Amino acid sequence: MQSAPEPTTKREERNVFLFLVVVLVPALAVALVGSYGLAIWISQILLGPPHG
């Protein structure tokens, strides 16, 4: 049988929170903006610049 998992400590919760705030969220933001910029750039290569 499986034993019950140990409860998380305040220190573990703080470490996970700091990882999310300092590493993961900024990395996802950069990846999202970079992907959007790449998509716009490729679409302008294929379709030409926007007409106004």
Side-chain angles (χ1 to χ4, degrees):
M1 290 179 47
Q2 296 178 354
S3 61
E6 295 182 17
T8 58
T9 63
K10 295 279 187 184
R11 183 176 184 179
E12 290 173 337
E13 288 183 14
R14 186 191 71 230
N15 288 343
V16 170
F17 175 76
L18 288 174
F19 173 76
L20 289 172
V21 170
V22 174
V23 176
L24 194 60
V25 172
L28 289 175
V30 168
L32 183 67
V33 172
S35 300
Y36 182 70
L38 181 65
I40 295 294
W41 181 51
I42 290 174
S43 70
Q44 288 184 355
I45 289 173
L46 297 175
L47 305 173
H51 301 282

